[in-house]
Amino acid sequence: MNNDYLGKVVYSKAGRDKENCFIIIDVIDENYVYISDGRLRSIEKPKKKKLKHLSVTKIVSDEIKNDIILKKQVNNATVRNFLQSVCTNKEV
């Protein structure tokens, strides 16, 4: 598993969630990841998405990434608050 993507902020390039802001919470393989926005796509029910349909930014939440790696409980409110502070769109 490539942990380089964990905790990174991404924007959707395709699908009904196009241009929305998410955070990568799990890497399935080199093509697929699970993303969450802490609201519609919660941590408990993330969206499976192809990496080619995502625009990956350089923004990383080290707190969320470390919690995922250490198998700690990640809170939806934490994800929402982080995305609201870094994303430019209003859909977060």
Side-chain angles (χ1 to χ4, degrees), residues 14-86:
R16 68 175 70 166
D17 56 3
K18 185 176 181 181
E19 297 180 1
N20 287 348
C21 187
F22 297 94
I23 193 162
I24 296 176
I25 60 164
D26 197 7
V27 178
I28 301 169
D29 58 23
E30 65 272 354
N31 295 320
Y32 289 95
V33 293
Y34 280 118
I35 58 174
S36 173
D37 64 1
R39 186 178 51 90
L40 193 62
R41 291 296 179 173
S42 65
I43 294 292
E44 296 81 25
K45 194 173 179 185
K47 173 139 178 103
K48 182 179 176 183
K49 195 89 167 169
K50 279 191 175 186
L51 274 172
K52 72 178 185 178
H53 294 151
L54 296 172
S55 175
V56 181
T57 67
K58 294 181 181 181
I59 303 168
V60 179
S61 170
D62 291 324
E63 175 189 354
I64 294 172
K65 180 178 180 175
N66 290 335
D67 285 349
I68 293 169
I69 290 171
L70 297 174
K71 306 274 191 234
K72 288 186 179 178
Q73 182 68 28
V74 179
N75 191 328
N76 285 314
T78 305
V79 173
R80 263 193 321 271
N81 292 336
F82 178 76
L83 290 177
Q84 283 177 343
S85 68
V86 298

Side-chain angles (χ1 to χ4, degrees), residues 5-20:
Y5 284 113
L6 285 179
K8 283 204 175 190
V9 174
V10 295
Y11 287 92
S12 176
K13 295 192 292 188
R16 68 175 70 166
D17 56 3
K18 185 176 181 181
E19 297 180 1
N20 287 348

